[in-house]
């Protein structure tokens, strides 16, 4: 029985052979997001009573020529093996393989407002220098942090939020 790891590694090898790992990643993310967002579509694809041919026909009509043939074939394989529910985990594992292969570190930045382009560039340059890898910023907005930002690099957090500073100030006053 194939596992998430087996599927993602096989797909990653296929992507490298085709010399299109970034396109594979993009297409996988596109499909994953649609299946995750559209609950009825997900139910349709996971329904064992609906014929395989009907599912593939619908997939082809939705994505037309937007995704690579290898991604279609991979989706068809997952559907045929009743393993489509593994797709999201396969995508995340594939993404990890891609980022490792490209020597890219994904960094999450959470702030109360959208960061300016110049600030994003400064953060990217600083972290690239510190980490020694290319940095890909993923920005999230959370008004609860009040101001400043929280940066997550792997399992490490750098809390530069106003909320954290106020908590430390309150702790020091008590």
């Amino acid at each position: 029985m194939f596992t998430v790891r087996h599927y993602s590694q096989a797909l990653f090898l296929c992507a490298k052979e085709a010399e299109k790992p970034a396109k594979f990643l993009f297409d996988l993310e596109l499909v994953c997001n649609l299946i995750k967002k559209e609950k009825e579509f997900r139910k349709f694809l996971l329904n064992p009573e609906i014929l395989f041919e009907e599912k593939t026909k619908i997939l082809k009509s939705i994505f037309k020529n937007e995704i690579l043939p290898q991604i279609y074939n991979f989706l068809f394989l997952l559907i045929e093996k009743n393993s489509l529910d593994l797709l999201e985990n396969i995508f995340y594992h594939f993404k990890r393989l891609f980022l490792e292969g490209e020597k890219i570190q994904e960094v999450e930045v959470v702030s109360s407002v959208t960061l300016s382009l110049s600030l994003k560039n400064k953060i990217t340059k600083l972290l690239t220098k510190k980490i020694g890898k290319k940095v890909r910023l993923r920005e999230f907005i959370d008004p609860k942090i009040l101001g400043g930002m929280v940066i997550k690099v792997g399992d490490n957090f750098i809390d530069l939020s106003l909320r954290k500073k106020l908590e430390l100030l309150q702790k020091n006053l008590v």
Side-chain angles (χ1 to χ4, degrees), residues 69-126:
Q70 296 95 325
I71 299 298
Y72 276 122
N73 292 337
F74 184 69
L75 291 172
F76 299 158
L77 174 71
L78 291 178
I79 290 168
E80 191 174 45
K81 300 284 184 189
N82 293 317
S83 298
L84 191 65
D85 57 329
L86 301 176
L87 183 62
E88 191 172 352
N89 287 331
I90 292 168
F91 164 70
Y92 287 116
H93 192 76
F94 182 95
K95 184 177 181 180
R96 191 175 56 78
L97 292 170
F98 173 80
L99 293 173
E100 285 174 8
E102 297 293 318
K103 294 179 177 39
I104 297 172
Q105 176 67 52
E106 203 164 60
V107 174
E108 293 180 9
V109 178
V110 182
S111 61
S112 59
V113 295
T114 304
L115 301 176
S116 70
L117 184 59
S118 65
L119 184 54
K120 288 180 197 178
N121 288 338
K122 285 178 185 175
I123 293 168
T124 301
K125 282 181 184 177
L126 183 76

Side-chain angles (χ1 to χ4, degrees), residues 145-149 159-167:
I145 68 169
L146 304 177
M149 68 186 79
D159 194 339
L160 305 170
S161 68
L162 183 56
R163 180 184 195 103
K164 183 68 172 181
K165 289 176 184 173
L166 290 172
E167 286 174 5

Side-chain angles (χ1 to χ4, degrees), residues 45-63:
L45 291 174
L46 293 173
N47 188 338
E49 294 175 8
I50 298 174
L51 295 174
F52 172 78
E53 291 76 19
E54 187 64 26
K55 292 175 184 180
T56 58
K57 182 179 155 189
I58 295 294
L59 274 171
K60 284 182 179 179
S61 72
I62 290 172
F63 293 109

Side-chain angles (χ1 to χ4, degrees), residues 141-155:
I141 307 298
D142 183 359
K144 292 179 195 165
I145 68 169
L146 304 177
M149 68 186 79
V150 177
I151 301 172
K152 181 181 178 213
V153 181
D155 294 334

